[in-house]
Amino acid sequence: MKIALTHIRQAWSGGTEGYLNNLAIYLAERGHQVTIVCRRHQEAPHPSIRFKVLRPLTLGVAHRVWRFGRDVARHLADRQYDVVFGLGRTWSQDVLRLGGGCHLSYLERSRPYTASWAQRYLGSGLLKHALYRWIERRALTSDPQQTVICNAEMVREDIVARYGVPRERIVVIGNGVDLQRFHPDLRKTEGKHLRHSCGFGEDETVLLFLGSGYKRKGLDLLLGAMPAVVRSHPGVRLLVVGFDRQVVAFQRMAQQLGIAEQVVFLGGRRDVPACYAASDLYILPTRYDPFANSTLEAMAAGLPVITTPDNGGSQVIVNGVNGSTIPAAEDALGLAIQGWMAPSDRKAAGREARLKAEHNSVDAKLAETLALLEAAVDRRHADGEDGGRW
């Protein structure tokens, strides 16, 4: 098939960009002709992949996003591709993946914790967010034949509620994980080395928090829960990994709570698999994540996971078997952590977590996506469509 993948940016960092690269490689390796339609790009993820660059002069973020969507529609008007797969903020595709969830949901549930002073009190960014919502509505409602992919049941129900999209048009394909990159065997090598470098003893229980944007991800809740955990289990340590501009404020919070000696802030790291391998329990008390990749990464590494229902990835957790899904509250979080202090319980749950991850490999999820692309082509041919849809 001749396949167009549309996204404003191709790069080697970012969640959507990582998905774009993985999908492009998967399709190209199976002999499909893949073109990435974008505004800018880095190195092609596969030698056979081509780029179509749409980069007119624009003024500001909002205009740039709108202009890219319009130019994509014009580029696709002659129907030179068998199928078009959109990864967000375009309205001209046969299959749309809404990997970031509904934008308004993100704003309602994240902005109170992430907005800057200017955004809160001066209305900075309002035009951009209004445009994102307009594009999202148009993308979801303008084509009754379009298939929508989301990565969690939580997101599907949100799309139905907000936009009235028929549930049968929305397919849930959860995130996938690289089972070789994240593996329990790393505990014996990279994990052991990182534990030693952090000063963690063999008999200490290491909790891991990993994510950028500490407030949205709930680090303040985890720090607030830690004093009670430390009192009952003095051998507990917390490893904090990820970027945040306000990291000093969180370090100060740990000091004020009297747990500074139990918490190690590592900042952003490239050796993410080693971070899981150095830990015993993964905790993500997020306030909103359509499907946090770290959920499956930790499970693939053999860790039980504690998270909230506001993480779409909680759909892979069975309470008491491979982790816990709890409210985003300090008390509930503290009790859940203490409930996983027995090494034998964590070991058994870690085995179950790995098994669940093995049913959610990245290749399995990409295979499901390819099947949807093939179905979209078959449907278009059956309808006798000859171009000009957009």
Side-chain angles (χ1 to χ4, degrees), residues 22-174:
N22 285 335
L23 179 60
I25 292 168
Y26 184 87
L27 295 172
E29 287 179 343
R30 281 148 186 82
H32 299 290
Q33 298 179 43
V34 179
T35 300
I36 297 177
V37 182
C38 59
R39 180 177 170 84
R40 57 190 176 93
H41 65 86
Q42 296 178 357
E43 183 182 355
H46 187 277
S48 71
I49 291 173
R50 299 182 302 169
F51 290 103
K52 175 62 181 179
V53 178
L54 307 175
R55 190 169 180 149
L57 180 66
T58 58
L59 301 172
V61 174
H63 185 231
R64 183 160 59 245
V65 172
W66 174 82
R67 184 65 186 270
F68 179 72
R70 191 190 71 171
D71 289 348
V72 166
R74 290 180 173 179
H75 172 64
L76 299 174
D78 62 357
R79 203 68 239 199
Q80 59 185 289
Y81 305 101
D82 294 314
V83 64
V84 179
F85 184 96
L87 280 87
R89 303 206 173 115
T90 55
W91 54 85
S92 314
Q93 54 260 325
D94 300 290
V95 180
L96 168 67
R97 183 177 188 266
L98 206 63
C102 293
H103 191 65
L104 189 57
S105 297
Y106 167 78
L107 291 178
E108 290 175 350
R109 296 158 72 177
S110 300
R111 198 172 174 83
Y113 306 101
T114 61
S116 66
W117 182 88
Q119 291 170 332
R120 286 175 183 270
Y121 300 107
L122 300 181
S124 175
L126 289 180
L127 175 61
K128 177 185 72 173
H129 292 301
L131 175 66
Y132 288 177
R133 291 165 58 192
W134 178 86
I135 292 175
E136 183 173 276
R137 176 173 293 278
R138 182 172 181 180
L140 287 167
T141 61
S142 61
D143 180 7
Q145 299 301 314
Q146 176 183 244
T147 298
V148 178
I149 298 175
C150 60
N151 50 12
E153 291 288 348
M154 177 185 80
V155 178
R156 173 156 65 178
E157 295 308 311
D158 200 15
I159 295 171
V160 172
R162 291 191 184 278
Y163 296 107
V165 178
R167 190 173 276 99
E168 60 270 18
R169 272 184 49 208
I170 308 171
V171 179
V172 177
I173 301 179

Side-chain angles (χ1 to χ4, degrees), residues 224-304:
M226 282 294 292
V229 175
V230 171
R231 283 195 297 271
S232 60
H233 298 85
V236 168
R237 300 292 180 265
L238 173 61
L239 187 61
V240 178
V241 179
F243 292 102
D244 194 288
R245 294 179 182 177
Q246 304 299 321
V247 61
V248 173
F250 287 92
Q251 291 172 330
R252 188 180 304 117
M253 181 180 180
Q255 292 174 342
Q256 292 170 346
L257 291 169
I259 55 170
E261 293 186 2
Q262 283 78 28
V263 184
V264 175
F265 288 84
L266 290 185
R269 303 276 296 198
R270 293 183 180 273
D271 58 344
V272 171
C275 297
Y276 293 115
S279 308
D280 300 298
L281 182 64
Y282 180 60
I283 305 171
L284 185 69
T286 181
R287 293 177 165 103
Y288 183 64
D289 264 296
F291 192 128
N293 284 315
S294 60
T295 311
L296 278 173
E297 291 171 355
M299 295 173 78
L303 299 184

Side-chain angles (χ1 to χ4, degrees), residues 348-371:
R351 289 195 296 267
E352 293 294 330
R354 174 66 189 187
L355 288 173
K356 177 64 77 170
E358 288 173 354
H359 287 91
N360 290 273
S361 70
V362 64
D363 280 356
K365 299 305 177 181
L366 294 175
E368 292 181 46
T369 302
L370 174 55

